[in-house]
Amino acid sequence: MFGIDRSTLTEYLIAQRRQHPGATGELNALILQVAQACKAISRAVAHGALADVLGDHGQTNVQGETQKKLDVLADEIFLRATHWGGDLAGMVSEENASPIPLPAGHARGKYLLVFDPLDGSSNIDVNVAVGSIFSILRAPTPGEDAAAADFLQAGRHQVAAGYAIYGPSTMLVLTVGQGVAGFTFDPILGDFFLTHPDIRIPETTREFAINASNARFWEAPVRRYVDECLAGRSGPREADFNMRWIASLVAETHRILMRGGVFLYPRDRKEPIRAGRLRLLYECNPIGFLVEQAGGRASTGTGPVLEVAPEALHQRIGFVFGSRTEVERIERYHAEPLFGGSERPLPLFNSRSLFSTEAAFSQ
Ligand SMILES: O=P(O)(O)OC[C@H]1O[C@](O)(COP(=O)(O)O)[C@@H](O)[C@@H]1O
Ligand SMILES: [Mg+2]
Ligand SMILES: [Mg+2]
């Protein structure tokens, strides 16, 4: 046990409310209901094959992706935990095409909850860390059912955001706009205890995360950045870099919050009509809010992700975040004109190796 000398999540939220008028009692109650959902999902994840929650659900979601059984179960747990008590005017989930209607006769509140009930789904069946991500916005018309358009708010309008990571230990990482705090779940006491009171991302890093199997589809600035990292101490960065890819956004985020790093899931040419892999409302915005609150930077590759005006509930976008100096470098590369002011388009299926920067630019 962590010992009861540490603050619990409830005590932290009460303290925040005393210090910051924005953290209302209703917001605190909603965050605690989200935490309840994450506790239940943590237990379902821990049971895994024992509880027959692995494998495909047999349906596809609005993203056109095969749902895992645990995707659906996590979604149902979130809905149950937040439907009845939360001061909500509406909810949007990755697993549902439209906003989720609140029960008839249920009072409509002043917040909107947007969530990815289970992130990193491809890792479920191989027992690698997964998580849940949530974002809380103010309802434009409190007391009434929220319309889909009410959710289309830029990320800078979030009042709270966080994630739970179901790893060797279950943690909840949260911001209410006053920095970032981490809470570790004590399964014996059954509560989240404050173990990381003020998480800060180191300004610099020598560790990057990207799915390198997409290299042939990357745009020139991303290819340049990665090739320079791979060139190591003999290249323009004059330093060796490490690479990670867990295929779980929550796990990558947690590593970067704990020790720094930079994550890239850029817009690429693999599916030109798709503006990126990750979803703006319930992945990039909440993670971006946490990263910026922890002193890092969260970008589309060309500018702050929290400034993007959403156009659709499940809109995808290129996403780069982490240690500030590296994200700023990547944004500079996107801003620099190549080859005297015009970027020569790389052939769609460029056969060049990752290891030949000059070849990649010699088209
Ligand atoms: O499988 P890829 O292309 O490496 O993408 C991995 C990314 O996809 C995701 O799993 C998408 O999230 P979901 O699992 O919630 O659909 C991210 O967590 C992760 O960063
Ligand atoms: Mg996800
Ligand atoms: Mg998901």
Side-chain angles (χ1 to χ4, degrees):
M1 285 198 299
F2 289 107
I4 50 178
D5 57 331
R6 293 179 183 276
S7 301
T8 63
L9 174 60
T10 305
E11 289 160 343
Y12 172 86
L13 290 171
I14 291 168
Q16 285 296 320
R17 187 174 169 215
R18 285 201 193 103
Q19 294 161 26
H20 312 291
T24 64
E26 294 89 346
L27 177 63
N28 285 354
L30 179 54
I31 292 169
L32 289 171
Q33 275 155 305
V34 169
Q36 283 300 111
C38 295
K39 283 184 198 173
I41 296 168
S42 166
R43 285 193 288 273
V45 169
H47 283 156
L50 291 174
D52 184 28
V53 289
L54 303 185
D56 291 350
H57 175 64
Q59 310 280 330
T60 54
N61 61 15
V62 62
Q63 327 283 339
E65 293 160 349
T66 304
Q67 286 180 310
K68 298 286 187 183
K69 289 180 192 168
L70 214 46
D71 278 323
V72 175
L73 176 59
D75 193 43
E76 287 168 2
I77 289 172
F78 248 92
L79 295 183
R80 247 201 322 272
T82 50
H83 243 177
W84 304 101
D87 198 67
L88 288 170
M91 287 185 272
V92 159
S93 161
E94 174 191 347
E95 300 305 330
N96 297 266
S98 308
I100 298 147
L102 293 171
H106 186 271
R108 272 53 179 161
K110 53 171 167 283
Y111 295 109
L112 303 178
L113 177 66
V114 186
F115 58 95
D116 175 358
L118 203 81
D119 174 71
S121 299
S122 64
N123 289 322
I124 294 167
D125 298 348
V126 295
N127 201 17
V128 170
V130 292
S132 302
I133 309 171
F134 67 93
S135 165
I136 300 176
L137 298 159
R138 286 189 183 83
T141 48
E144 294 177 20
D145 275 316
D150 293 340
F151 292 86
L152 302 183
Q153 302 178 36
R156 68 178 183 281
H157 295 306
Q158 294 173 96
V159 292
Y163 63 80
I165 179 167
Y166 313 117
S169 65
T170 288
M171 281 190 69
L172 185 81
V173 176
L174 170 73
T175 184
V176 291
Q178 306 298 330
V180 178
F183 302 84
T184 303
F185 182 63
D186 180 333
I188 298 168
L189 292 176
D191 207 346
F192 282 103
F193 287 87
L194 181 63
T195 47
H196 300 71
D198 181 22
I199 297 173
R200 304 293 295 169
I201 298 179
E203 286 273 311
T204 60
T205 183
R206 291 287 177 265
E207 191 165 71
F208 70 99
I210 194 165
N211 181 338
S213 69
N214 296 323
R216 64 189 183 283
F217 303 119
W218 293 337
E219 295 174 343
V222 171
R223 182 192 290 273
R224 172 184 175 190
Y225 177 78
V226 173
D227 278 350
E228 288 180 355
C229 289
L230 293 174
R233 65 185 65 182
S234 58
R237 300 298 305 274
E238 297 178 333
D240 289 340
F241 279 71
N242 197 9
M243 181 172 145
R244 287 283 183 273
W245 190 251
I246 310 176
S248 172
L249 175 62
V250 166
E252 313 274 10
T253 303
H254 196 68
R255 184 190 62 249
I256 289 171
L257 283 171
M258 292 296 108
R259 70 184 193 208
V262 60
F263 171 99
L264 304 90
Y265 214 122
R267 186 186 68 187
D268 63 30
R269 297 183 174 109
K270 187 171 185 179
E271 289 183 55
I273 54 165
R274 254 179 36 166
R277 168 83 169 84
L278 299 172
R279 281 57 57 107
L280 177 60
L281 281 189
Y282 40 80
E283 290 174 321
C284 305
N285 277 345
I287 298 301
F289 189 20
L290 287 161
V291 165
E292 297 267 340
Q293 282 288 313
R297 186 168 177 83
S299 174
T300 61
T302 56
V305 73
L306 298 183
E307 294 303 324
V308 174
E311 295 166 2
L313 295 178
H314 302 285
Q315 172 180 349
R316 297 174 190 265
I317 197 163
F319 194 32
V320 177
F321 69 85
S323 295
R324 177 168 296 280
T325 56
E326 292 303 304
V327 177
E328 287 171 345
R329 174 184 290 268
I330 293 164
E331 288 180 331
R332 272 201 314 278
Y333 288 4
H334 278 82
E336 285 171 9
L338 289 174
F339 309 105
S342 67
E343 176 192 351
R344 268 182 241 159
L346 293 169
L348 193 54
F349 296 101
N350 188 308
S351 57
R352 299 290 176 184
S353 144
L354 256 181
F355 299 95
S356 57
T357 304
E358 61 292 339
F361 288 92
S362 63
Q363 309 298 330

